[in-house]
């Protein structure tokens, strides 16, 4: 049996205390939107359905939610008007099949530190005591803006009171509600139907589920989490930066303990999903994000931006390399100041030098492009040399076209290849050539015009311009 049949992630709010036009859950944390971390914690539970409730910037929030749940289908429910967490949960439940009667887990999209292990323990505890409704509580020294868990003299939970609605005595309570709930779908439907906006904000509070459960004689449990830090809230950009620093420090420690040298941990920004092999060196001011995989013995000098890249063993990335959604085979030398865009694939033993840009470019083993070239929508064989200033002219203003270059070719400096075009194997291309048509194997290709020399021309040109001082470049 699955750990939890259904789940609802509430992510419709703007997060006004962030003082930002961007939805709170879209703010980056550890190199990805914070909601992606929440969604990833649910993947091991394999919820079906898994529903995300969106509102403000709904399309972007939905895309971010799906980014970390490739193995679990995500359904999207929309809350047209933000009328509170209870209303959001009601919108989410409407995305379930009418006859669904399994357990439903509800949590928020701005809980980036929550773990699968905690959720699994919570679900197990709910089922062990046979509760109808359960929620996760935690003990905090300073409960701040969290809702307080109110108990009677026997210790039974009687209500959850929002901080803005709490009395002075209730504000002093240290046990807080984290906002994570679990209830059978039928119980949840009936309870949500009883919600009323009888509070200072005029909203439907999900916390009122506790009061409703008590009133209806349902079995209620507050499961106290052992690690309150998992439920730390982010309500400002300052708090976001503080949590970012904690995550980054933990990632760096883990990598260094595994044999990775990080020259300056204070300026290394490495995502939690990144894998780096032993004896690799990460220089200062390096960002490695997404699902990047770096092999063993890789040297990244510094000031690099790498996202969703695969880097083979023994590679050397020099200063100022940017690479995204690409694969770099073993023993490659990249940079300085190279830009490898999405779709680049280097088979290995390649050289991509300074100010070279690639995009959807596949380079065979040993092929080199050492300086100042653009290789877009290109397939190149092995052991080919791309000279300085070579351009694949891939865009006609409407469509992108493919350039094919064979193996063991010498493509001279300042060559333009106007796609779609094919150059065979063992071809030599003279400098300054424009290639418009297919070049067969073993050919020499040039498009030079005859050189013309006019002796004495410079003196006449200067006389025509009155031999002005600017003729020598001065001003």
């Amino acid at each position: 049996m699955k750990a939890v049949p259904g789940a609802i992630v509430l992510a419709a709010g703007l997060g006004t205390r962030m003082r930002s036009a961007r939805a709170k859950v879209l703010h980056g944390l550890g190199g990805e939107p914070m909601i992606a971390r929440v969604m990833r914690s649910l993947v091991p539970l394999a919820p079906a359905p898994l529903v995300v409730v969106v509102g403000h910037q709904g399309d972007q929030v939905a895309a971010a939610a799906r980014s970390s749940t490739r193995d679990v289908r995500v359904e999207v429910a929309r809350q047209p008007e933000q009328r509170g967490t209870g209303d959001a949960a009601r919108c989410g439940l409407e995305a379930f099949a009418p006859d669904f009667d399994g357990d439903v887990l509800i949590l928020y999209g701005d809980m980036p530190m929550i773990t699968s292990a905690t959720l699994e323990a919570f679900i197990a505890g709910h089922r062990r005591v046979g509760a109808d409704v359960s929620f996760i509580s935690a003990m905090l020294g300073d409960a701040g803006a969290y809702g307080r868990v109110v108990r009677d003299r026997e210790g039974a939970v009687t209500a959850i009171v929002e901080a803005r609605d709490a009395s002075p005595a209730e504000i002093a309570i240290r046990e807080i509600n984290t906002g994570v709930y679990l209830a059978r779908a039928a119980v949840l439907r009936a309870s949500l139907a009883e919600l009323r906006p009888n509070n200072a904000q005029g909203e439907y509070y999900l916390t009122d589920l506790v009061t409703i459960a008590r009133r209806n004689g349902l079995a209620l449990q507050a499961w106290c989490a052992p690690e309150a830090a998992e439920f730390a809230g982010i309500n400002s950009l300052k708090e976001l930066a503080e949590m970012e620093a904690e995550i980054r420090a933990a990632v760096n420690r883990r990598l260094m303990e595994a044999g990775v040298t990080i020259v300056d941990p204070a300026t290394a920004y490495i995502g939690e999903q990144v894998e780096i092999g032993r004896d690799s060196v990460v220089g200062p001011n390096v960002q490695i994000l997404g699902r990047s995989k770096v092999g063993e013995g890789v040297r990244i000098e510094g000031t690099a931006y790498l996202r969703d890249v695969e880097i083979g063993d023994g590679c050397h990335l020099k200063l100022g390399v940017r690479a995204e959604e690409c694969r770099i085979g073993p023993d490659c030398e990249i940079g300085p100041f190279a830009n490898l865009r999405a779709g680049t694939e280097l088979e290995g033993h390649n050289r991509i030098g300074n100010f070279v840009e690639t995009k959807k470019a596949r380079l065979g083993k040993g092929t080199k492009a050492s300086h100042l070239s653009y290789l877009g929508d290109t397939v190149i064989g092995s052991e080919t040399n791309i000279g300085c200033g070579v351009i694949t002219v891939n865009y006609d203003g409407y469509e992108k076209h493919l350039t094919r270059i064979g193996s063991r070719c010498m493509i001279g400096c300042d060559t333009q290849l106007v796609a779609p075009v094919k150059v065979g194997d063992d071809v030599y291309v003279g400098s300054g050539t424009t290639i418009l048509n297919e070049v067969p194997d073993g050919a020499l290709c040039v498009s030079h015009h005859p050189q013309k020399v006019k002796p004495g021309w410079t003196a006449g040109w200067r006389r025509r311009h009155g031999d002005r001082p600017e003729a020598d470049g001065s001003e």
Side-chain angles (χ1 to χ4, degrees):
M1 181 179 178
K2 295 176 181 176
V4 54
I8 299 173
V9 179
L10 306 183
L14 171 60
T16 54
R17 284 178 287 179
M18 300 288 281
R19 300 291 191 269
S20 172
R22 188 189 312 170
K24 182 199 286 190
V25 298
L26 292 179
H27 283 268
L29 192 62
E32 60 186 342
M34 70 170 75
I35 191 173
R37 299 169 59 87
V38 177
M39 302 302 292
R40 196 161 56 249
S41 73
L42 290 168
V43 169
L45 279 58
L50 170 54
V51 178
V52 177
V53 181
V54 303
H56 181 68
Q57 296 178 330
D59 291 342
Q60 297 96 309
V61 172
R66 288 176 168 134
S67 66
S68 291
T69 54
R70 295 178 180 177
D71 298 327
V72 177
R73 179 180 173 83
V74 176
E75 306 289 344
V76 175
R78 297 187 181 272
Q79 185 185 23
E81 181 182 354
Q82 277 66 69
R83 299 190 300 169
T85 54
D87 181 66
R90 199 153 44 200
C91 292
L93 199 57
E94 289 174 358
F96 284 60
D99 59 349
F100 182 90
D101 196 32
D103 290 330
V104 180
L105 177 69
I106 302 175
L107 68 164
Y108 291 96
D110 61 351
M111 291 182 169
M113 303 301 284
I114 198 165
T115 65
S116 302
T118 293
L119 293 175
E120 289 170 352
F122 169 53
I123 295 164
H126 169 84
R127 292 174 175 171
R128 185 169 52 252
V129 301
D132 293 307
V133 178
S134 293
F135 67 94
I136 299 179
S137 68
M139 302 299 294
L140 292 180
D142 179 6
Y146 287 97
R148 276 30 173 206
V149 178
V150 180
R151 295 179 181 267
D152 61 20
R153 293 181 178 179
E154 286 72 38
V157 176
T158 59
I160 298 172
V161 180
E162 296 290 343
R164 55 197 170 194
D165 298 318
S167 67
E170 290 166 339
I171 284 290
I173 296 172
R174 293 178 54 242
E175 186 178 12
I176 60 97
N177 170 40
T178 67
V180 180
Y181 298 86
L182 184 64
R184 203 173 74 252
V187 172
L188 191 58
R189 287 191 185 94
S191 299
L192 290 174
E194 295 187 41
L195 293 181
R196 298 293 181 270
N198 300 323
N199 50 69
Q201 305 301 312
E203 295 182 346
Y204 295 89
Y205 284 167
L206 193 55
T207 51
D208 289 343
L209 289 180
V210 172
T211 302
I212 293 169
R214 287 275 295 180
R215 184 171 65 233
N216 294 337
L218 300 176
L220 175 66
Q221 178 195 211
W223 185 86
C224 192
E227 295 292 338
E230 287 189 28
F231 305 93
I234 297 177
N235 292 304
S236 69
L237 295 178
K238 175 178 177 292
E239 292 175 353
L240 182 71
E242 290 170 349
M243 188 171 289
E244 174 73 41
E246 293 175 13
I247 292 170
R248 191 155 50 89
V251 170
N252 290 348
R253 283 195 302 270
R254 171 175 58 80
L255 290 171
M256 289 187 286
E257 289 169 359
V260 177
T261 297
I262 300 179
V263 175
D264 183 11
T267 62
Y269 296 79
I270 304 174
E272 286 184 293
Q273 298 180 80
V274 171
E275 301 175 19
I276 304 179
R278 63 182 179 179
D279 296 320
S280 289
V281 178
V282 177
N285 299 307
V286 169
Q287 298 181 62
I288 311 176
L289 308 173
R291 292 180 172 86
S292 296
K293 294 183 179 180
V294 180
E296 296 186 359
V298 174
R299 181 183 174 194
I300 304 171
E301 285 187 358
T303 316
Y305 180 90
L306 311 172
R307 179 185 289 276
D308 295 320
V309 299
E310 182 179 334
I311 302 174
D313 296 343
C315 287
H316 181 190
L317 276 62
K318 297 183 179 181
L319 186 72
V321 171
R322 181 184 181 95
E324 298 184 79
E325 298 177 36
C326 62
R327 186 181 67 82
I328 301 171
D331 299 304
C332 288
E333 183 179 329
I334 312 295
F337 305 108
N339 183 12
L340 278 59
R341 293 166 56 191
T344 295
E345 295 184 21
L346 309 182
E347 187 174 334
H349 299 270
N350 300 104
R351 165 91 172 95
I352 300 295
N354 52 294
F355 304 106
V356 173
E357 179 180 357
T358 63
K359 189 271 293 185
K360 290 186 180 178
R362 301 207 318 263
L363 277 62
K365 185 176 181 180
T367 287
K368 302 174 183 178
S370 295
H371 352 261
L372 300 160
S373 295
Y374 172 70
L375 304 174
D377 298 284
T378 307
V379 177
I380 306 176
S382 60
E383 303 299 334
T384 285
N385 186 78
I386 303 296
C388 178
V390 171
I391 299 171
T392 57
V393 186
N394 59 332
Y395 184 49
D396 65 6
Y398 296 95
E399 304 289 342
K400 299 290 180 69
H401 301 281
L402 181 67
T403 296
R404 292 185 179 272
I405 302 173
S407 298
R408 301 172 302 280
C409 293
M410 291 290 293
I411 309 298
C413 296
D414 196 30
T415 293
Q416 301 88 46
L417 299 102
V418 182
V421 72
K422 178 180 178 181
V423 175
D425 296 333
D426 302 296
V427 169
Y428 272 58
V429 177
S431 298
T433 296
T434 298
I435 298 179
L436 301 171
N437 303 301
E438 181 173 342
V439 181
D441 295 350
L444 169 66
C445 180
V446 295
S447 61
H448 299 161
H449 295 289
Q451 181 172 319
K452 295 181 181 180
V453 178
K454 295 184 178 182
W457 180 89
T458 302
W461 180 79
R462 288 178 176 169
R463 282 194 302 272
R464 288 194 299 274
H465 289 81
D467 200 20
R468 290 178 296 187
E470 55 265 33
D472 65 3
S474 62
E475 295 183 359

